[in-house]
Amino acid sequence: MSQALTTPPAVAPPRPWKFPESTTTATRVGTPVHVFDRPGQYVATVRVTIAMPLVAERRDLEGVATIMSRTLDEGTELHSANEFAAALERHGAAYGVDVSSDALHVEISVPVSQLAPAVKLLAEAVTRPAFNQADVGRHVTIRLGEINQERANAGYRAREAFAANLFDPSSRRSRPTAGTPDTIRPLTNVEVAEFYRNNIGPARAQILFAGDATGVDVAGIVDEAFGDWTSSAGPVLETPEPLYLLGDRIVLVDRPGSVQSQLLIGCPGPDRREDIWGAAAVANHVVGGTITSRVDTVLREEKGYTYGTRTSFSAPRKGGTFSLGGSVRTEVTGAAITDALRILREARDGLTEREVSESKDNLIRTAPLRYEQADSIAQQVGSNIAAGVPVDFADDYLAQIAATTAESATEAYRRYVGANGLLVIVVGEAKDVRGQLAELGEVKELS
C-alpha cells in the first residue's frame, strides 16, 4: 500500500497532435469561409479577417483605421447602437474588434444555438455601418483620453519609444497603431466613412468559424449573412519591407516620480516567412521566454533586480522584432541592463542541447492546450492570414520546432540578436538613472 502511494504513475509519451483541420468553402461573392469543427465546443467563434495594412492611412490621419473599427457597431443602417447592443445581448453574443498593422479582425463568440442570428449581426456591423458623426466624435474623444492615460503608463511609453527608435521615421511602424493626438483630433465621420469605402470589402476578407458544427450548416449561415456583400474597395496595398535603425543605442525617457525603471531591449528579428521562425522560438524560450530562462535565472533569481522579465520574437506580415521587457528597481537600472546585455550577447556563443531539448518539449507539448478553445483557434488562424502564411501554419511551425537542434537554434538567434546592435529603452526617473546609464555609453534623452 505504501509503495502504491509513493510511486508515481508512468508517464506515457505524448500522442501526435496536429492543428485542427478546416473545411473551406466560399460565399456567393467569393469570400473564403474556413470551418473548424470542434465537437463539444458549444460556444463558437466567428471571425472576419480583412486585409487592411496601415500604410493605407493618410499620414495626417493615422489612427483612422482604429476609429473606424470601433464605430462599426455604433449604429448600422438597420439598428441604432443601443438596438445593436441589445440584439447581441439577446443572443448571448460577445462582440470584439482588433486592428493590427496588417488587418482588421471583427469577431463574435456565441452559443452555437444562436449562431444564425448572431452571424447576421456580425455581417451587419462589417458590411452596413452607419458612421454617424456623433458616434465617431465620441470615439475620437475617447481615443484622445486614452492617449493621455497610455502616456502615463511606463510600459506603453517604453513600447512607443522602442518603435520610434527601432524603425526609420518613414516606416508606419515607427508610429502608434492607433494614432497620435494630432492625427486623431481632425477625424470626422467623413474621413472614417471614406477610409471604410476604400479599404473594406469581400475580396479582402476571409471568414473563420471554430466550434461544434454538428448538424449546423455553417457555410450556409455565413453565406446567407455575407453573400450579398458589395464594396468599392480597391486592391490591397502591399506592405513595404520595414526600414530599421541599427546600432547599439541607449534612449532614456524621463518619467518623474517613477520608483522603477521600465526596460525594453531589442533589435530586428525574423518574420513568419523565414524557415527559422520555429528555431527562433526555441532560442527565445531558452534565453528569456520562461521563468527558468537564462535572463530570469540571473536578473530575478540570483540578483533580485526584478519580479520577472520576458523576451519574445514577434512579427507582423513583414519584418519582425526581438525584445526583452520588464521593470527593475531604479537603483539597479544600470547593473540590470549590463547583465541583460551580457546574457543576450553570450547566448550568441551557443545554446546547449539540454536547453534546446527542454524548450522544444515545452513548446510542442503545450500546443494542444494553447488551441483547446474555439476562440484561440480562430484568433491564431486570423493572425496567420494577416501575416500572409497558410491557414494551417501552426503545423509548419511545430514541425520547425521539432526539427530544431542546438546548432540551428543558435544560428537563428545569432542571425538577429546582437548582429547589428541592440537598442536599449529606459523609462524612469531620469535624475536617478542618468548617471548609471552614462557608464554604458552615449544616452539620448527624451521627455
Side-chain angles (χ1 to χ4, degrees), residues 13-19 364-365 367-368 395 398:
R15 291 175 293 176
W17 183 87
K18 288 176 62 66
F19 191 79
I364 292 173
R365 293 194 182 200
D395 285 335
L398 291 173

Side-chain angles (χ1 to χ4, degrees), residues 29-40:
V29 294
T31 302
V33 180
H34 308 287
V35 176
F36 293 84
D37 183 13
R38 307 300 295 154

Side-chain angles (χ1 to χ4, degrees), residues 66-315:
T66 294
I67 299 300
M68 180 210 70
S69 71
R70 295 182 180 187
T71 49
L72 288 174
D73 66 326
E74 288 280 6
T76 68
E77 295 174 0
L78 302 179
H79 295 94
S80 70
N82 288 339
E83 290 169 343
F84 190 88
L88 286 173
E89 187 173 345
R90 281 198 302 274
H91 300 299
Y95 171 94
V97 64
D98 178 57
V99 172
S100 69
S101 61
D102 301 298
L104 167 69
H105 306 274
V106 190
E107 73 173 29
I108 56 166
S109 292
V110 63
V112 175
S113 61
Q114 299 295 309
L115 184 66
V119 170
K120 286 184 178 180
L121 289 170
L122 175 65
E124 187 180 320
V126 172
T127 69
R128 305 181 70 176
F131 298 127
N132 296 313
Q133 174 52 29
D135 295 322
V136 171
R138 185 174 70 257
H139 276 279
V140 166
T141 300
I142 291 171
R143 178 64 197 136
L144 291 172
E146 286 178 350
I147 292 173
N148 288 332
Q149 292 179 333
E150 288 167 350
R151 291 189 60 79
N153 180 276
Y156 176 86
R157 293 289 298 280
R159 293 189 295 273
E160 182 183 53
F162 184 76
N165 288 275
L166 183 64
F167 295 100
D168 185 271
S170 64
S171 171
R172 177 65 181 87
R173 287 172 62 190
S174 70
R175 300 181 295 278
T177 296
T180 65
D182 288 342
T183 63
I184 291 292
R185 199 173 287 112
L187 292 174
T188 69
N189 63 327
V190 174
E191 290 81 19
V192 170
E194 180 182 20
F195 185 84
Y196 172 87
R197 288 192 299 270
N198 293 338
N199 292 280
I200 305 300
R204 296 187 176 199
Q206 298 195 46
I207 302 173
L208 319 167
F209 167 92
D212 193 327
T214 305
V216 180
D217 181 10
V218 175
I221 288 172
V222 173
D223 186 56
E224 176 67 23
F226 286 91
D228 296 326
W229 187 6
T230 60
S231 169
S232 59
V236 180
L237 291 176
E238 183 61 33
T239 301
E241 297 287 347
L243 297 175
Y244 296 99
L245 302 176
L246 306 177
D248 290 317
R249 290 165 295 139
I250 302 173
V251 177
L252 170 60
V253 181
D254 188 20
R255 184 172 181 266
S258 291
V259 296
Q260 291 184 315
S261 293
Q262 186 74 34
L263 307 183
L264 194 55
I265 303 172
C267 58
D271 60 38
R272 278 172 272 192
R273 295 172 298 172
E274 298 191 49
D275 59 7
I276 65 166
W277 181 247
V282 174
N284 174 74
H285 196 271
V286 171
V287 175
T290 179
I291 196 170
T292 58
S293 68
R294 291 187 179 189
V295 173
D296 246 20
T297 296
V298 175
L299 269 63
R300 182 179 186 272
E301 299 298 326
E302 295 180 10
K303 301 295 183 69
Y305 292 154
T306 176
Y307 284 117
T309 57
R310 289 294 178 271
T311 64
S312 66
F313 283 105
S314 60

Side-chain angles (χ1 to χ4, degrees), residues 310-332:
R310 289 294 178 271
T311 64
S312 66
F313 283 105
S314 60
R317 191 175 187 89
K318 290 184 178 178
T321 60
F322 169 83
S323 63
L324 179 156
S327 58
V328 300
R329 303 195 320 274
T330 297
E331 66 272 19
V332 298

